[in-house]
Amino acid sequence: MACVGDNTQNPADYREFMAEPPDYVIINRRLWDDDAENWVASGERNWAREPDWGFWGIPETDLGLLPDDMTGMRAIELGCGTAYISAWMARRGAECVGIDNSARQLATAQRLAGEHGIDLALIHGNAETVPIPDETFDFAISEYGAAIWADPYVWVPEAWRLLRPGGVLVFIGAHPLKDMTQPRHGDPSVGRELLYPYFDLHRVDWSEGDEVGTVFNLTISAWMTLFDEVGFDILAYHELRHPTGGTEVVFDVTADWAHDFPAEQVWKLRKREASVSS
Ligand SMILES: C[S@@+](CC[C@H](N)C(=O)[O-])C[C@H]1O[C@@H](n2cnc3c(N)ncnc32)[C@H](O)[C@@H]1O
């Protein structure tokens, strides 16, 4: 499924890296290859609809995560899965690349791109090390892709490298409160008790039945320090809320819980322009 065209940077280094990626990349690849068939139906629905965000479908008009007109922009989706966000961006005029760790997820993306007549470049690989030159993109996005499955201390600098100065990175993932209140083994229903220390938040290894996976998150101050050190300015930070509450359960969270606490966070960042030294 590799579709990296002529822009592969140091292909020998890349092949070497991918031959021996970090353990969590291998763990998560197995998980997503095994689970890919369960994401086909939602991928088909998402390809066919207008953008909204998160567990509760917060409208794009409330969050403003995508430029209305992406004509002439180059965009990358980091951990694209079935690549419906790439489809939304392509319909707004962007030229899109999607990278994903799961060949089976990319097979769905490739099929849907064909059915919808949308041209996407899809790369099978790790979003922590993308085989594309520096400053290629105007816009980068991750919705529960690299945003949660890759190490922020690796993928955030990589996203910075890929963006031109002034380029924008948007990502959506679990809020730290969700990671502290969701049991990491067994029944993953999110509760109201703090189960894990906040200040230790980084790598989270979890299991449910036969499934094992690894996700990442940081404390809010650690995210902010990382962005500043890497060279991103924060344009917006959203903690997504269910508007009313209720008994509906989505991804182990009830609407009542998500009315009281943020289950999801959204960061919108801009790559800092190089400062002119005096
Ligand atoms: C919940 S899906 C999110 C993608 C998309 N928004 C969707 O819902 O189809 C998570 C995706 O992240 C991918 N992923 C996990 N780790 C990754 C990594 N290190 N690099 C690239 N993709 C990764 C998985 O293979 C999976 O397709």
Side-chain angles (χ1 to χ4, degrees):
M1 181 68 57
C3 182
V4 290
D6 296 330
N7 51 12
T8 304
Q9 193 183 40
N10 303 323
D13 291 352
Y14 184 67
R15 276 195 297 275
E16 195 177 313
F17 181 90
M18 286 308 293
E20 237 179 296
D23 66 329
Y24 54 85
V25 172
I26 296 168
I27 290 167
N28 290 335
R29 183 180 300 159
R30 189 177 308 126
L31 176 78
W32 278 99
D33 277 339
D34 288 351
D35 208 30
E37 67 188 7
N38 297 320
W39 294 77
V40 171
S42 61
E44 288 169 347
R45 285 194 302 277
N46 290 331
W47 265 79
R49 69 175 173 85
E50 292 297 312
D52 62 30
W53 303 103
F55 298 175
W56 317 108
I58 310 284
E60 163 63 7
T61 45
D62 288 3
L63 295 177
L65 302 186
L66 298 178
D68 289 338
D69 183 0
M70 298 185 77
T71 306
M73 293 177 76
R74 299 197 72 190
I76 184 162
E77 186 177 1
L78 300 163
C80 63
T82 59
Y84 54 85
I85 295 173
S86 292
W88 299 345
M89 296 191 295
R91 289 192 189 111
R92 290 169 183 238
E95 187 185 329
C96 296
V97 175
I99 182 166
D100 200 279
N101 189 22
S102 161
R104 294 195 61 208
Q105 285 276 82
L106 288 173
T108 305
Q110 186 77 67
R111 174 178 65 78
L112 289 168
E115 288 174 15
H116 286 259
I118 286 182
D119 200 18
L120 302 179
L122 297 171
I123 302 172
H124 183 211
N126 176 6
E128 295 172 338
T129 172
V130 178
I132 293 181
D134 298 356
E135 301 189 4
T136 295
F137 296 99
D138 305 290
F139 193 85
I141 192 162
S142 179
E143 185 212 40
Y144 288 96
I148 64 165
W149 297 96
D151 188 335
Y153 291 110
V154 186
W155 81 263
V156 171
E158 180 68 347
W160 184 93
R161 182 189 72 75
L162 292 165
L163 286 167
R164 64 161 172 79
V168 169
L169 169 65
V170 169
F171 68 93
I172 305 171
H175 192 283
L177 263 182
K178 176 170 179 272
D179 285 320
M180 289 186 302
T181 53
Q182 179 166 39
R184 295 179 182 171
H185 303 283
D187 178 355
S189 301
V190 172
R192 288 173 181 259
E193 188 187 344
L194 294 174
L195 300 174
Y196 307 101
Y198 179 67
F199 288 112
D200 293 343
L201 197 53
H202 180 211
R203 174 175 172 152
V204 173
D205 294 304
W206 59 265
S207 64
E208 183 187 357
D210 293 342
E211 287 190 336
V212 294
T214 298
V215 289
F216 293 85
N217 207 340
L218 296 176
T219 66
I220 292 170
S221 59
W223 280 115
M224 292 170 74
T225 301
L226 173 64
F227 301 148
D228 186 51
E229 287 179 356
V230 168
F232 280 114
D233 293 323
I234 299 169
L235 299 179
Y237 177 63
H238 303 279
E239 296 173 305
L240 302 187
R241 183 180 200 189
H242 191 281
T244 56
T247 54
E248 186 189 357
V249 180
V250 176
F251 294 116
D252 311 311
V253 178
T254 64
D256 273 344
W257 193 99
H259 184 63
D260 291 343
F261 309 105
E264 305 180 88
Q265 62 181 355
V266 182
W267 294 97
K268 186 172 185 179
L269 313 172
R270 177 177 287 137
K271 178 170 175 172
R272 208 171 288 144
E273 306 275 351
S275 56
V276 181
S277 52
S278 49

